[in-house]
Structures are given as C-alpha cells and as structure tokens.
Amino acid sequence: MLLYFSASWCGPCQAFTPSLVEFHRQHAEASNLDVLLVSQDISAEAMLAYMGDHEMLFPAVPYDRIARSRLRVSYGGLGNPSLVVLSPSGEVVVSSVVDGTSPADVLDEMRRLGQ
C-alpha cells in the first residue's frame, strides 16, 4: 500500500504526480499495488479536479474524512508531496517523510525491490 499525500496547489506535487500515476499503471495489476491519495486540497471539488486532471485511477480518502483519518498525523509529516509504503500489517517500509528522501526516491526503491 502506498499513501500519497498531495495537493493540487502544490507545485512539486504537480510535477511528481504524473510519475506516480505512470508507476501505478505499470505495476498495479501485476503486483497488486494499491495507492491511496490523502489530499491536502482546500475543497472536495479541488481534490476531485486534481484527480481527474492527472487521471489518478486509484482511490482517495473521502474529503470529509481526511482529518478524522489521522493519516497525515500518523504517516504524512508536514510536507507535500509525501509518499509512504506500508506493509500489509501497516508498518512503514519506506517513507519520503521518515527517510528524508523524495517521493521519486521511494518509487526508485520500489522498482529496486521489484514492485
């Protein structure tokens, strides 16, 4: 499971999102890869437009449940974009927040691991 913390207003997010979308397209079916968007947008409409603009075919935490989910507090840190890889048991495997790497580095690590 990948948690993707992102927002439409974030320039680095706009730059990275196409790479994640392509990675997801290439690996989702073969490796049973799940991505979950945790939006930091200012409205549900902005989140949905961002997802549509980038053809994000993975789910998102419903906008009205993001704060209650506490995913940002538990896994996301303060910066955007952030990408966190979770094991099936919910343990952090690699994280752009914890490991001090970029989200692109997290994708490179997943490629190295054969995901």
Side-chain angles (χ1 to χ4, degrees), residues 32-95:
N32 200 23
L33 176 69
D34 294 319
V35 177
L36 180 65
L37 174 67
V38 184
S39 175
Q40 303 304 300
D41 275 302
I42 60 170
S43 70
E45 293 78 15
M47 179 185 85
L48 293 172
Y50 178 47
M51 292 179 74
D53 289 348
H54 287 282
E55 298 179 7
M56 292 184 216
L57 301 179
F58 39 83
V61 175
Y63 189 80
D64 62 345
R65 294 185 186 165
I66 292 170
R68 287 182 289 170
S69 76
R70 306 208 25 95
L71 289 170
R72 172 59 94 180
V73 172
S74 299
Y75 297 106
L78 298 175
N80 286 320
S82 298
L83 189 61
V84 179
V85 181
L86 298 178
S87 71
S89 64
E91 299 294 319
V92 174
V93 175
V94 63
S95 167

Side-chain angles (χ1 to χ4, degrees), residues 13 16-17 21 41 56 59 75 79 99 107 113:
C13 299
F16 174 72
T17 296
V21 167
D41 275 302
M56 292 184 216
Y75 297 106
D99 300 327
L107 288 185
L113 296 172

